Amino acid sequence: MAKITMRQAISQALWEEMERDPQVFIMGQEVGVWGGTYAVTKGFYDHFGPERVRDTPIAEAAIIGSAIGAAMTGTRPVAELMTINFAFSAMDHIVNEAAKLHYMFNGQMVLPLVIRTVGGGGRQLGATHSQTPDAVFAHFPGLKVVAPGTPADAKGLLKAAIRSNDPIMFIEHATLYQVRGDVPDGDYIVPIGKSTVQRSGDHVTIVTYSKMLELSLKAADELAKDGIEAEIVDLRTLRPLDIEPVIESFKKTNRAVIVEEGWKSFGVGAEISAQIYEQAFDYVDAPIKRVTQKEVPLPYNRDLEQMALPQVEDIIKAVKEVL
Amino acid sequence: MEKSEHLNLYQQMVVIRILEERSAELYQQGKIGGFLHLYIGQEAVSTGLISARKPQDRVITAYRDHGVAINCGLSAREVLAELLGKATGVSGGKGGSMHLADVNKNFWGGHAIVGAHLPIAAGLALGDVYQKQDGVTICMFGDGATNIGYFHEALNLSKVWKLPVLWVCENNQYGMGTTVERASAVSEIRLKADGYAMKNDNVDGMDIMKVREKALEMIEEIRSGSGPQFLEINTYRFRGHSMGDPERYRQQEEIRKWQENDPIGIYRKYLMKQKIASEEELNEEDKKATEIVEDAVHFAESSPEPAAEELFKNIYVEEGR
């Protein structure tokens, strides 16, 4: 066990999997000579060489399309999209190919493919580079969508993703790379499709994931000062969604706040709250609240951007409203 | 080339022709759903092309895929059963007409989004390079696909990475109902490959022997390390784009002119003129082809529908919904 950053945890997972399995290789923009635009693959090119750490042209459809083809032949590509905003240029291949081929050809085609990408706002990158469209990807059966909130989960989930035979969107958060946490050494695997309780409490259930886990934990610490104990369920995987720990927690607290960085309309919170109402209606003591990004394209100006993004205070306020 | 091989190729072309004609009937009877894109008129293209491949060479194509499937060695039975959506279809009735594939025969589909399979083809070739296999990926697409971005991304990547791909444009003169001239900045499609400094050529797609000869030459050059190459094959579809095509965009006279160049007729004449096969022998092959297709129709019609529990199978390899 060592205290390392999210960046190091992800890097470690990639490195260990490449050492373990020669079929694993990395491809994407600036993953090689540059060392990754978020420095995750620094040193990989020199160690593993240009065949296994492949710099690509700026051509997202070609990156994802060719990664799909290579995966179909039995290799295990980890294709990197520099940001999730650029995934829209590869949307056809993610949605119409990666998510469909296994089913459409009745299991003939197997796609051990990981699409590593980075989402989230808060870095003054403007509307086109700051989105959190995780729910969009979670909409499609055939695709798995993973979004870790801690360094340990990042390592364990990425290793699980690389070993999986299904196509997986692995969504990292741009402002979590420097976050530190205890990460088990060596072969540490976190199963895909398992939510987990990150903090126990009896008064309210906060359902969240990725960057918003960090804010939710801060909010819970503040609330504890007022004697309010929040239980935090971290989804970790959006599809397949593991709703059980959410329902279990809700049946105990009877109150829920769902915190996501994306927009409220048709979002993760909409899905979670619907499932709570469907599965635990008799346990509802207060309307479920959602804390989300405001419904605007994210602006560049620092203050305006922060006004649009969910804040710790918003979570505290929402919790107090449901109590 | 052995006589038996000629007869085999001839039979494949006739099987495709009859299978397509019977499919059109089954479609009109409401037994085939969705879209149906017939390959009639283009039989020499894939038959000649795929006859030039070795077993390790992968084939991937667009949605006009019935003929390609037959040439890759899929049986008429499993093709027709798939068109009818039956459990015995090559994809268990889940894919349909536009999504035929059999990976055991190195046929990788059957892709229905125009141009989207081109980057995938580059990836198949990348997989071979990565695993140090000597296969060549043959990627077929229509003239319409050369106007979409994927085409350019895929050609560029294949050239940058020297991937063993034979890009094959089946230029049948129309993208749906729009002529090549109205949709493409250059009507000689192969010139687009010049933009990627890629060796390119063209060939008459109504003459199977010309297609085969050119394909043999290019595939072996690619296998020897030339990097990707581009082949434009000029052809014509005798039927509409799909079964729902009103065909307002072309004159009957134009169709008749092309039909005088029927690829099956051309091959027949060649085989007789070269004294490879007699008329009787070819008629015998026609008869066999008819029997193969009739057997397939019977097989498909009498096959069971997929079981209800198939609905949720193969969404993922591992657990999950």
Side-chain angles (χ1 to χ4, degrees), chain B residues 115-266:
Chain B
H117 66 292
L118 276 72
I120 295 176
L124 294 172
L126 170 61
D128 280 338
V129 169
Y130 190 83
Q131 295 173 99
K132 308 209 177 344
Q133 307 290 322
D134 74 340
V136 172
T137 294
I138 300 164
C139 178
M140 304 166 73
F141 47 89
D143 43 275
T146 69
N147 302 319
I148 197 165
Y150 307 141
F151 169 84
H152 300 276
E153 291 195 20
L155 259 66
N156 181 63
L157 187 75
S158 72
K159 182 69 184 186
V160 170
W161 284 356
K162 276 191 105 180
L163 299 173
V165 183
L166 177 59
W167 300 109
V168 180
C169 175
E170 289 189 80
N171 183 348
N172 66 11
Q173 321 302 323
Y174 293 91
M176 288 191 73
T178 306
T179 56
V180 169
E181 291 73 19
R182 291 173 63 214
S184 177
V186 288
S187 50
E188 194 178 353
I189 302 284
R190 73 183 187 117
L191 296 178
K192 292 182 180 180
D194 283 339
Y196 303 99
M198 191 181 294
K199 190 175 172 184
N200 58 80
D201 210 335
N202 62 6
V203 70
D204 172 8
M206 307 313 265
D207 187 332
I208 180 173
M209 285 298 108
K210 286 182 185 159
V211 173
R212 179 180 151 86
E213 190 185 350
K214 184 55 68 185
L216 279 168
E217 175 193 316
M218 293 178 107
I219 289 170
E220 287 322 307
E221 279 183 21
I222 295 167
R223 202 185 312 284
S224 311
S226 73
Q229 296 194 23
F230 190 101
L231 178 60
E232 177 179 1
I233 304 185
N234 287 293
T235 183
Y236 196 78
R237 63 171 154 72
F238 293 175
R239 297 294 191 93
H241 164 76
S242 67
M243 290 298 289
D245 181 351
E247 295 202 62
R248 288 193 196 96
Y249 52 86
R250 60 183 187 181
Q251 302 297 322
Q252 280 304 313
E253 195 188 320
E254 176 184 304
I255 302 172
R256 266 199 302 279
K257 209 177 112 213
W258 277 90
Q259 280 173 334
E260 285 166 16
N261 275 329
D262 189 306
I264 296 176
I266 288 174

Side-chain angles (χ1 to χ4, degrees), chain A residues 22 62 92-93 103 143 164 166, chain B residues 101 116 130 150 153 311 316-318:
Chain A
D92 184 34
H93 287 89
Y103 186 84
L143 203 60
S164 165
D166 289 312
Chain B
Y130 190 83
Y150 307 141
E153 291 195 20
L311 182 61
Y316 299 106
V317 177
E318 284 129 27

Side-chain angles (χ1 to χ4, degrees), chain A:
Chain A
M1 192 80 88
K3 212 170 191 73
I4 58 174
T5 62
M6 185 85 123
R7 175 183 287 110
Q8 289 167 322
I10 294 165
S11 181
Q12 208 175 79
L14 281 170
W15 188 282
E16 288 175 13
E17 290 306 295
M18 287 181 75
E19 288 284 13
R20 185 186 62 78
D21 183 352
Q23 294 290 8
V24 178
F25 70 94
I26 298 173
M27 58 190 286
Q29 295 158 22
E30 310 300 350
V31 296
V33 176
W34 187 297
T37 44
Y38 290 92
V40 169
T41 52
K42 202 173 147 196
F44 280 55
Y45 186 85
D46 290 338
H47 183 76
F48 293 106
E51 295 297 316
R52 297 189 69 195
V53 186
R54 306 183 76 97
D55 283 318
T56 64
I58 304 169
E60 283 79 11
I63 294 169
I64 300 306
S66 64
I68 289 167
M72 275 154 52
T73 72
T75 65
R76 309 186 81 83
V78 180
E80 184 176 318
L81 292 172
M82 197 184 288
T83 89
I84 199 164
N85 307 281
F86 309 159
F88 298 123
S89 298
M91 204 60 178
D92 184 34
H93 287 89
I94 296 170
V95 171
N96 279 325
E97 306 289 342
K100 304 286 190 286
L101 295 181
H102 186 67
Y103 186 84
M104 197 163 66
F105 295 107
N106 209 22
Q108 290 191 65
M109 291 175 196
V110 176
L111 281 74
L113 166 67
V114 179
I115 300 170
R116 263 193 66 227
T117 190
V118 185
R123 299 189 314 142
Q124 285 196 272
L125 293 174
T128 61
H129 279 57
S130 305
Q131 297 173 95
T132 310
D134 310 349
V136 173
F137 296 94
H139 191 58
F140 301 103
L143 203 60
K144 291 187 176 179
V145 180
V146 176
T150 68
D153 281 347
K155 178 177 177 181
L157 284 164
L158 183 54
K159 285 174 82 90
I162 292 170
R163 294 180 193 191
S164 165
N165 288 313
D166 289 312
I168 294 172
M169 283 285 287
F170 191 89
I171 305 172
E172 297 158 20
H173 197 286
T175 66
L176 285 181
Y177 284 121
Q178 299 287 20
V179 167
R180 285 180 182 275
D182 287 330
V183 177
D185 301 322
D187 232 9
Y188 175 65
I189 304 285
V190 174
I192 289 162
K194 294 283 172 213
S195 306
T196 190
V197 174
Q198 295 280 12
R199 184 190 194 283
S200 297
D202 291 331
H203 301 130
V204 61
T205 299
I206 297 176
V207 185
T208 189
Y209 72 98
S210 186
K211 168 78 176 176
M212 292 300 112
L213 172 64
E214 189 183 51
L215 274 66
S216 299
L217 286 165
K218 281 183 188 158
D221 286 347
E222 289 301 313
L223 289 161
K225 291 175 188 164
D226 294 335
I228 301 165
E229 293 301 333
E231 181 148 296
I232 300 179
V233 183
D234 178 3
L235 297 173
R236 303 195 292 193
T237 300
L238 299 182
R239 184 185 275 271
L241 182 67
D242 177 21
I243 198 72
E244 284 313 312
V246 175
I247 300 297
E248 204 176 304
S249 175
F250 187 80
K251 283 181 176 173
K252 180 173 69 176
T253 63
N254 312 106
R255 292 169 165 83
V257 171
I258 302 150
V259 188
E260 67 180 305
E261 185 173 324
W263 292 295
K264 182 182 278 183
S265 303
F266 313 98
V268 174
E271 176 63 28
I272 299 294
S273 64
Q275 292 215 28
I276 294 173
Y277 285 125
E278 283 163 358
Q279 297 184 38
F281 185 71
D282 290 344
Y283 296 84
V284 178
D285 280 356
I288 295 164
K289 283 267 171 192
R290 287 177 280 167
V291 176
T292 70
Q293 186 173 145
K294 305 289 188 298
E295 304 264 334
V296 294
L298 267 194
Y300 161 74
N301 175 275
R302 184 192 299 273
D303 293 343
L304 290 178
E305 185 183 31
Q306 288 304 318
M307 279 167 64
L309 289 170
Q311 305 293 334
V312 173
E313 299 72 47
D314 300 326
I315 302 170
I316 293 170
K317 184 166 170 275
V319 166
K320 290 188 170 167
E321 281 169 5
V322 302
L323 284 174

